[in-house]
């Protein structure tokens, strides 16, 4: 069996990595995994069970995640986002979710020839041998603006300042934690999307990926 081609797309909240990863995967005919949805699913289940962020409970939930948990309806809420970065700092939760991510990368579903994984630690921990690694970032102001617009579009009534403060706090939790902190891999290509449209960011990301894995027919 030929080896799967893996593309890692990491970066902070609302930098645009999910949109880019999805579009890159579609263009390449690769499978796509939003690894953040795993941490969000753990958080959503804990909230649904009325449980606090105890490490033992979070680990048990992480160990028993099912496919339908990854597409649950409330995964994108602010409450879930906040708790997801709390459980994501727990080494036992990260360990429970690692094998699934590595299997997805090595044997992409549907027999696809490769996989694009987006998250915080794909290039550093999950798939350190990925053929292409992008670190997608943007200013806090640009990212807070995007998340605010996303929440408005979902019918929520977010307070702009609160969204920005919450995002800053989550960035700090993700970057300062001991277990797999958010940081660019040494061999990652950096893409700042602060002043780029989605199309411009995608075309820059495409050039970077093709530069690493070669042109694909
Ligand atoms: O979409 P957004 O960037 O806001 O968040 P996400 O990618 O869905 O990730 C939610 C949370 O999961 C992050 O704030 C991280 O704490 C955690 N996460 C992680 O620790 N490692 C990953 N590979 C992906 C997400």
């Amino acid at each position: 069996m030929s080896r799967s081609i893996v593309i890692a797309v990491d970066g902070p909240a609302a930098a645009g990595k999910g949109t880019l990863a999805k579009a890159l995967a579609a263009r390449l005919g690769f499978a796509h995994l939003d690894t953040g949805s795993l941490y969000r699913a753990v958080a959503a289940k804990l909230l649904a069970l009325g449980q606090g962020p105890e490490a033992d409970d979070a680990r048990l939930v992480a160990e028993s995640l099912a496919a339908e948990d990854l597409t649950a309806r409330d995964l994108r809420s602010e409450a879930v986002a906040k708790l997801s970065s709390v459980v994501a700092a727990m080494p036992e939760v990260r360990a429970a979710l690692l094998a699934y991510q590595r299997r997805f990368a090595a044997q992409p579903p549907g027999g696809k020839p490769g996989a694009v994984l987006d998250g915080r630690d794909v290039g550093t921990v999950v798939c350190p041998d990925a053929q292409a690694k992008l670190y997608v970032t943007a200013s806090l102001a640009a990212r807070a603006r995007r998340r605010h617009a996303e929440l408005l579009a979902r019918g929520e009534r977010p307070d702009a300042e609160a969204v920005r403060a919450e995002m800053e706090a989550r960035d700090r939790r993700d970057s300062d934690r001991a277990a797999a902190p958010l940081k660019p891999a040494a061999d990652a290509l950096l893409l700042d999307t602060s002043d780029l449209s989605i199309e411009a960011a995608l075309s820059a990301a495409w050039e970077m990926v093709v530069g690493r894995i070669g042109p694909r027919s």
Side-chain angles (χ1 to χ4, degrees):
M1 202 176 71
S2 63
R3 197 165 155 247
S4 162
I5 298 172
V6 179
I7 299 174
V9 183
D10 291 303
K17 62 190 187 308
T19 306
L20 287 178
K22 205 167 157 186
L24 287 172
R27 203 156 160 180
L28 289 161
F30 286 7
H32 169 231
L33 178 63
D34 165 9
T35 65
S37 69
L38 300 169
Y39 297 92
R40 285 176 180 266
V42 172
K45 274 197 115 171
L46 285 172
L47 288 174
L49 293 167
Q51 285 170 340
E54 298 300 330
D56 281 346
D57 296 336
R59 176 180 54 78
L60 285 175
V61 167
E63 283 172 353
S64 61
L65 276 190
E68 60 267 25
D69 298 327
L70 306 186
T71 51
R73 267 207 288 130
D74 59 346
L75 289 192
R76 304 297 308 172
S77 75
E78 283 293 272
V80 166
K82 184 174 182 182
L83 185 58
S84 68
S85 76
V86 174
V87 299
M90 299 170 178
E92 46 278 83
V93 169
R94 306 200 70 83
L97 299 175
L98 194 55
Y100 175 82
Q101 298 173 75
R102 288 195 171 147
R103 206 176 323 115
F104 189 101
Q107 286 157 20
K112 303 263 170 76
V116 183
L117 281 75
D118 74 86
R120 302 287 189 287
D121 64 336
V122 180
T124 51
V125 174
V126 180
C127 302
D129 297 331
Q131 284 85 342
K133 299 180 186 178
L134 304 187
Y135 189 84
V136 183
T137 180
S139 67
L140 176 65
R143 294 186 293 112
R145 216 167 30 241
R146 289 176 195 163
R147 183 51 45 92
H148 184 250
E150 187 186 322
L151 292 168
L152 277 179
R154 281 165 34 97
E156 295 186 23
R157 295 226 239 104
D159 173 68
E161 195 37 53
V163 169
R164 184 189 163 106
E166 179 48 46
M167 184 168 282
E168 201 170 7
R170 188 149 65 96
D171 281 354
R172 206 171 315 114
R173 268 197 301 278
D174 287 349
S175 303
D176 291 355
R177 69 186 179 212
L182 169 67
K183 62 167 185 216
D187 52 351
L189 297 164
L190 303 189
L191 176 58
D192 187 326
T193 68
S194 306
D195 301 316
L196 298 182
S197 65
I198 291 177
E199 294 73 31
L202 178 57
S203 113
W206 178 255
E207 293 305 318
M208 289 174 166
V209 167
V210 168
R212 287 282 165 101
I213 69 172
R216 317 264 314 151
S217 51

